[in-house]
Every structure is written in C-alpha cells, then in structure tokens.
Amino acid sequence: MDASTAMGMFTAAGDALLIILDPTRLAILCFAAFLGVILGIVPGIGGLAGTALLLPFTFSMDPYTAFAFLLGLSATTSTGDPIPAILFGVPGGASSAATVLDGLPMARRGEAGRALSAAYMSSLMGGLFGAALLGLAVPILRPVMLFIGTPEMLAISILGLSMVAALSSSTPLRGLAAASIGIMISMIGSEPRTGTYRWTFENLYLWEGIPLVPITLGLFALPELCDMAIARQKLSSDQKYEVNKGIWQGARDCFEHWWLIMRCSWIGTALGAIPGIGGSVVDWVAYAHAARSVKGGQKTFGTGDVRGVIASESSNNAKEGGSLITTIAFGIPGTAGMAIILGAFLSQGLVPGPDMLARNLSITYSMVWSIALANIVGAGLCYLFSGQFAKIATLRYTLVLPMVASIIFIGAFEGSRQWGDLFALLCFGTVGWTMKRLRWPRAPLILGVVLGDTIERQLFISIRLYGADWLLHPIVAVILLIALYGILRPMIQSILKNRRRGVRGLRLGRPQFAPTDLFAVALLLALGYLLLHTIGWPYTTLLVPRIVTITAMAAVGLSLVNSVFTRGIVAEPSGSDDDEGQPLYMDSVGETGHLTNRQIGLRAAAFMGWMLAFLLSMATIGIVPTIAWFVIAYMRLEGRERWTLIMPMAIGLAGFVYIVFDQLLMIAWPRTYLGALFPALQAFVPTLR
C-alpha cells in the first residue's frame, strides 16, 4: 500500500467518524443500541426480527444514518443476550447458549453481578476488537476471501463441529452422534436440487424444515425452566457478593484475562467472516478453545468459571465485524442479520464490492465506527442497570418462571408463525431435558442444525467438482487431520496412560447394562428407520443424508458399546494437578441432587403439564388471555403467592405482550377455536382471532 492510498484511507476514516458523531446520527445510534439490548434480553426474538421489522424505516434516511441505525441495533443484541442466559439459563439468542454453562452456576452461587459484568466488558472488548479488525481488513479483503474455496469452507465447518463434539462429554462419540443428528434435522424438508421431500412424513409443517428458533429454545430454554420448577428454588440461594462488588470484580476479570479475550475475539471475527457459519457456532468454538487452552479449564468450565463467560461473550460481539467483511466485499452476507442489512445496501443504491472500498470508502468506515460506538453504548446501558438485573437472581421461581415461559412461547412462535413451531418447542424441550439428564451433549446438536445446510451444500459441490480429490487439498487435509485428532484424542490419551501403567490397549470390563442405555438403543432404532426411509430418493438427494445417518449410527453404536464395557471399571484417582485426560462436560447441570428420581419425574411431568395447558389454552382463547390466567394459576397453585403480587404481574405481563407484540410488532397470531365459533368476540378479546 503506497503512502497516498494510506493517507486516503485515514482521511476517509476520519471523515466517517465526524459524520457519525453528528448529534442527530449519534442519538439515533444510541436509540438503536438501546433497542438492541432490549431485543437481546427477550428470549427467541433477537436482533434478526428487530432488524427485519425496522428496515423499512431506514429507506428515507441517508446511508450513514441508515447503517448507524441498523448496525447499532444488530451489534448490541449480543450484549443483551447474556442477561437471560446468566440469570435464568435461557439464551436470549442462539449465540449466547454457551454462556449458560458458566453464567448460570455463577448466578446460583450469588455471583450474578460478577458474571453479568464479565459478559458486558468482554462483549465490549470483543466488539471493539472485531470493529478494529474490520477496519484493518478493508484493503486486503478480496485476495483473502478469494483464496477460500468450497472444500476449505467445508473443512472449517467440520472442524468447528468436531471441536465442540470432542469437548462435550466424557466420550466424544456422543458429541459426534449429536452433531450428526443435528445435521439430519437440518435436512428435513424440500431438497433444493430435486424438490424431493426428506423425512417430512407427509406433514405440511415439515416441508420447509424446522426453524432454528423453536429448536434452540426447546433444547436450551425449556430444560432450564423445567429444572427450576423441579428444584423449586430461587436462582441464587446464597448471595455471597454485593452486586456492586461483583460488578467491579467481573470487569477486573476481563482485564486479567485480556489475552483470552483477544484470542476468542479473533476466533469470532474469523468465523464471522465465513458465510454460513453464523453466530450460533462462534461462541461454542471459542468456548471449546478456551476450555482446552486455559489452565485448569477442563476441571472448572461448566461449573461457574468466569473465563467461560468471557470466552463466549467476547467472540459473540467480535463476529459482527467479521460478518460485515464478506457483506461489504462480495455482497455475501456472513449471517442472516447481514442478509437483511444487505437489503439496506440495495435500498440506498449501493453495490457491495470494489466501490465500497474505493468511491464509498467513507460509508464503509462509518459502518466500522457504528459497530464500535454501539458496543460502547450497549455496554454502558447494561452497566447502568446491572444492579437491577443482578437482583432478579434472588427471585423465587414462581415469580420468574411464568414470565419467562410466556416469552419463550412467543419467541418460538416467531420461527415461522405456525402452530408447528410450538409443537416443535415442546418436542425439543422434552428431548433437551432428557439429553441433559442423561448427560448427552446438546451443543453439538444445535451446531449440526445450524451448519447442516452449509455442510450438505459444500460436500455435494466438493464431490461433484473434485470427486475424492478434495480431501487432498493441502489446507483441507491439515484441517481435517486436526478435526480427526480432536475426536480420537481421548482414546489416544487413554491408550498412552494405560501403557504407562503397563496395560496394553484399552481397558475393558465385563459388560454391564443400565436403564440409561435404552436411550442409545432408541436412537439406533430411530436412525435405522430414517435410513430405510431414504430408499427411493434420487442419488443427489440421498448422498449426504445417508453419509450423515450412517455416521450417526456408528457413533451411537460405538458409544453404547463403550458404555457397556467400561461401566464396571473403577476409576483410579489421578492425584495430580494437571487436567490431562479429565473429561469436560460442556453443558449445564441442574440443581436437583437433593431429590429422588421419583420426585424429579413427577415434577418434570407436572411442568410439561403446565406447558401443554398453555398451548391448549392459546389455541382456544388466544395468547393474551392465556398469559393472564397462566400467571395467576401458576403463582397461586405452585407458590401460594399473595394476590396483591399475583394480579399486578398478570395484568402487567398480559398488557406488555398486547402492546409490544400485538399492537407494535403486529404479530399475526393463529386462529383460535373460540374465535372461530364466536367471531363477534374478536372485537372485545385481544388476540382472539
């Protein structure tokens, strides 16, 4: 880069900063950041719906103001995401699911303020780092992105899955099986090349596939609420820290682990720049990296280690800068949110590509400044109200659960606004709670759903273009070898450890079966049935599904054999300080150890009964009346709360849902039985359609 070009870039960056600091634009940016934080707090809604809703309002704005508004909103959604994840174990969005693993245990220990502060500060630092990398990457975007081909992108996707699968349980085979099943779920629906319907079983809802939102909320949100209802305790039973003290400690933690933030921010930016990876993957990959790389991580991650919160959240906000790279350079959105922002390019008469790096360079740098300033404003807003947010952790479950459950149902319905979304929520909620109880990892499953379409498309193209030779591409070969080592590492470590003890090969005991093995058997039967169902599909349709299904069956079968033949082996105490060979269970653990299995089963059934009653009532009388009676009934019957507390909460929550979701967002609620029988009532009862 010559001196004149460098000076031109510095001039464009300075001009863009002055334009963004215009009082009107800065006020709009702050308002967008406020909206982004609020949307991040509400589970299942997220910045995607908000960006789509508010996009038309930017058509009359100039490009600088429009992008400041849209990027200010999308950049701060990840800042608000950790609030429900830490306090309730309910991810505000799929990108904050990994934050639950350490954030929720910290809140239960009374360290909600510290966890929230660490999330805010790491989000701020990660967002600023991502914006800085975006600014530095502007002159070198095109040659780098052109070097990444389809096989390389496929290998990177597989590496991300393998990293999480290898760290998700005591055996990576369960993680591999869960990831493969997730990819299979992503393949449900119409196959784009031939139009063949895969695994839809003549169900109209499945023709377009299952949306990500109800899957995410079902796997991660409902199980946490179920455990809250089972334990019947407030989130934090012993608040050891003052909220303000915890806030300062969380910020100090971030500065003490600044190198971890830099590494995870780099991961977030790099993966965010790869189209199709998305925010749902970034936090898990960064979390997996941190668990392996920090001292003692395999022992403490998942139990309330602040470094787990820092790793997840720093990568989340950094991805925004990365995802904007491909959007600006090639018009290829890195995430779904950027796809909507790409619409703003078109509405403003801008064409992504060389013009954005030359003639419209000031607009490009205004996007960089918008992301940086939005992160500062978003973190400031969260710090301003941290005291109030952290105090929520001391509330009784009967006060928290009805509100969060109601919002979860609304968030799940936003998937495709069909009844099938709510049925999917309950189905995946049951599956998620079962997996959590049996210590089957959920993270690889959701990653498989997110990456499934990308992996299938890239694998099909790679095979069609290169045959088996795509495996011989140098970068691909290196990445796949790393992924394979991640899967085989526990077995290799076990063999080496046994050799040091004078034992050849793997240690196997007499076969011992347990009731929990029935889950693996049921999975094998279901996978076998789905494999038989592929008979008759065209070759282009069945190629990838069969590969993935056979992989899932092999992983489940080997995991079952491993469990049966190693269950009787008594573990020897290590007595060492290092964490070599210590398994990391990358998932949250419920506080139900004080209960018997019978009590857990009965209380879980009662919780699902409440959820089914909510769904049936919504189908009968609509969402707003359902929320009102649900809050009243649950608080009174489960907690014997006083009426002076019940009625304001019921009226307030129902009114909030009516004003925000019905009147402002104008959600098209499904028709109800009562509305169909008595159409005249629709004029008097809100959401009765």
Side-chain angles (χ1 to χ4, degrees):
M1 183 188 303
D2 56 38
S4 61
T5 302
M7 184 58 65
M9 293 182 63
F10 280 117
T11 302
D15 293 342
L17 178 60
L18 293 177
I19 291 172
I20 292 299
L21 291 179
D22 173 80
T24 301
R25 290 192 183 93
L26 188 60
I28 291 175
L29 176 66
C30 293
F31 177 66
F34 172 76
L35 290 179
V37 171
I38 298 300
L39 289 172
I41 294 174
V42 179
I45 304 300
L48 183 60
T51 305
L53 176 70
L54 298 175
L55 177 63
F57 294 96
T58 66
F59 292 164
S60 59
M61 299 179 181
D62 63 85
Y64 300 96
T65 307
F67 288 118
F69 183 76
L70 293 174
L71 292 173
L73 187 148
S74 62
T76 53
T77 303
S78 297
T79 308
D81 275 352
I83 294 173
I86 291 171
L87 297 183
F88 311 124
V90 177
S95 61
S96 62
T99 307
V100 174
L101 305 187
D102 289 287
L104 183 60
M106 290 182 69
R108 287 170 174 167
R109 290 203 308 259
E111 296 182 281
R114 180 185 180 188
L116 289 171
S117 178
Y120 303 153
M121 184 57 68
S122 58
S123 293
L124 171 60
M125 297 171 71
L128 292 177
F129 186 78
L133 285 180
L134 170 62
L136 295 173
V138 167
I140 57 173
L141 287 174
R142 190 171 185 84
V144 172
M145 293 305 299
L146 290 179
F147 188 70
I148 300 177
T150 299
E152 286 75 20
M153 291 182 64
L154 172 61
I156 293 172
S157 301
I158 294 174
L159 176 62
L161 275 178
S162 69
M163 287 180 65
V164 177
L167 291 171
S168 294
S169 65
S170 57
T171 169
L173 291 173
R174 289 186 176 184
L176 180 62
S180 301
I181 293 171
I183 296 175
M184 293 173 63
I185 292 173
S186 73
M187 295 177 184
I188 295 175
S190 175
E191 197 271 327
R193 286 174 293 272
T194 64
T196 303
Y197 291 107
R198 301 184 295 194
W199 296 320
T200 58
F201 306 105
E202 300 183 357
N203 187 306
L204 183 62
Y205 170 72
L206 297 177
W207 283 12
E208 298 298 326
I210 306 175
L212 179 62
V213 173
I215 297 176
T216 303
L217 291 177
L219 286 175
F220 290 98
L222 280 190
E224 299 302 333
L225 287 186
C226 184
D227 279 346
M228 186 190 301
I230 291 171
R232 297 184 179 179
Q233 297 174 349
K234 57 186 178 182
L235 297 179
S236 176
S237 57
D238 183 14
Q239 191 165 2
K240 301 177 182 179
Y241 289 83
E242 294 293 333
V243 171
N244 291 333
K245 181 179 179 181
I247 288 176
W248 284 113
Q249 180 61 45
R252 187 160 56 245
D253 289 330
C254 291
F255 288 103
E256 290 176 355
H257 300 289
W258 64 271
W259 179 233
L260 175 63
I261 291 178
M262 293 299 101
R263 298 200 311 271
C264 293
S265 298
W266 173 257
I267 291 173
T269 305
L271 293 182
I274 300 175
I277 298 298
S280 304
V281 177
V282 169
D283 61 329
W284 288 113
V285 175
Y287 188 89
H289 163 74
R292 283 294 188 193
S293 61
V294 303
K295 184 178 180 181
Q298 294 182 64
K299 291 181 179 179
T300 59
F301 271 44
T303 63
D305 191 326
V306 71
R307 295 173 297 182
V309 175
I310 290 172
S312 171
E313 290 304 319
S314 59
S315 64
N316 278 344
N317 276 30
K319 76 178 186 299
E320 295 300 326
S323 62
L324 194 57
I325 289 176
T326 52
T327 307
I328 292 174
F330 312 115
I332 302 174
T335 64
M338 286 299 159
I340 297 176
I341 291 178
L342 184 61
F345 274 87
L346 303 178
S347 68
Q348 296 292 337
L350 300 173
V351 179
D355 282 350
M356 297 303 299
L357 308 179
R359 186 172 56 185
N360 296 319
L361 189 59
S362 60
I363 296 178
T364 299
Y365 273 111
S366 75
M367 298 179 189
V368 177
W369 290 118
S370 296
I371 292 176
L373 293 174
N375 276 281
I376 295 173
V377 173
L381 288 171
C382 288
Y383 270 115
L384 185 63
F385 297 103
S386 274
Q388 287 70 31
F389 290 147
K391 290 177 182 177
I392 296 176
T394 63
L395 295 177
R396 297 181 296 278
Y397 79 100
T398 49
L399 305 181
V400 174
L401 193 147
M403 294 187 294
V404 178
S406 300
I407 298 300
I408 285 175
F409 269 93
I410 297 174
F413 183 70
E414 282 293 284
S416 62
R417 298 190 178 184
Q418 300 181 60
W419 276 111
D421 295 332
L422 300 181
F423 291 116
L425 172 71
L426 295 184
C427 290
F428 282 99
T430 303
V431 171
W433 185 79
T434 303
M435 293 178 70
K436 182 179 178 181
R437 293 293 305 175
L438 299 180
R439 298 180 73 84
W440 276 72
R442 297 174 289 173
L445 195 150
I446 195 65
L447 287 190
V449 175
V450 172
L451 292 177
D453 180 67
T454 300
I455 289 176
E456 179 182 16
R457 183 174 62 254
Q458 292 168 347
L459 180 59
F460 183 82
I461 293 174
S462 298
I463 293 175
R464 287 294 297 269
L465 292 179
Y466 306 103
D469 291 341
W470 70 274
L471 294 168
L472 302 179
H473 289 204
I475 296 178
V476 173
V478 171
I479 294 176
L480 291 181
L481 284 175
I482 296 174
L484 181 62
Y485 173 72
I487 295 294
L488 298 179
R489 180 180 177 180
M491 184 178 68
I492 296 173
Q493 288 179 337
S494 179
I495 293 175
L496 294 177
K497 186 181 296 184
N498 290 337
R499 281 191 175 183
R500 289 195 295 267
R501 296 171 179 167
V503 179
R504 293 285 183 179
L506 295 170
R507 294 179 63 193
L508 299 176
R510 298 183 62 182
Q512 292 187 14
F513 294 90
T516 54
D517 294 332
L518 294 176
F519 183 72
V521 173
L523 281 180
L524 282 175
L525 294 175
L527 291 170
Y529 174 75
L530 294 176
L531 183 63
L532 290 175
H533 205 268
T534 62
I535 296 175
W537 291 358
Y539 174 76
T540 57
T541 301
L542 64 81
L543 175 62
V544 179
R546 280 193 178 177
I547 293 174
V548 176
T549 305
I550 293 173
T551 301
M553 293 183 69
V556 174
L558 290 174
S559 175
L560 177 61
V561 171
N562 178 71
S563 298
V564 170
F565 283 94
T566 60
R567 184 171 286 123
I569 299 176
V570 179
E572 299 180 14
S574 61
S576 62
D577 293 332
D578 66 60
D579 54 11
E580 181 79 11
Q582 293 292 328
L584 171 68
Y585 179 60
M586 203 164 73
D587 207 339
S588 58
V589 179
E591 300 288 331
T592 57
H594 60 289
L595 301 173
T596 65
N597 288 335
R598 184 175 183 275
Q599 288 175 314
I600 292 173
L602 290 175
R603 292 182 182 183
F607 173 81
M608 290 307 300
W610 281 107
M611 297 300 100
L612 286 172
F614 189 104
L615 182 60
L616 293 174
S617 177
M618 183 177 172
T620 304
I621 61 176
I623 183 67
V624 170
T626 293
I627 288 176
W629 81 254
F630 178 70
V631 172
I632 293 172
Y634 195 89
M635 291 180 65
R636 188 61 184 172
L637 297 178
E638 290 284 339
R640 307 302 298 175
E641 301 289 350
R642 61 184 186 276
W643 288 105
T644 54
L645 181 62
I646 293 174
M647 296 310 297
M649 287 192 64
I651 296 173
L653 183 60
F656 170 79
V657 170
Y658 175 69
I659 294 172
V660 173
F661 295 100
D662 188 80
Q663 296 298 304
L664 295 181
L665 298 182
M666 293 184 291
I667 293 178
W669 305 108
R671 291 183 61 83
T672 63
Y673 294 122
L674 193 61
L677 291 175
F678 305 101
L681 292 177
Q682 298 180 24
F684 304 97
V685 181
T687 69
L688 184 68
R689 293 184 171 89

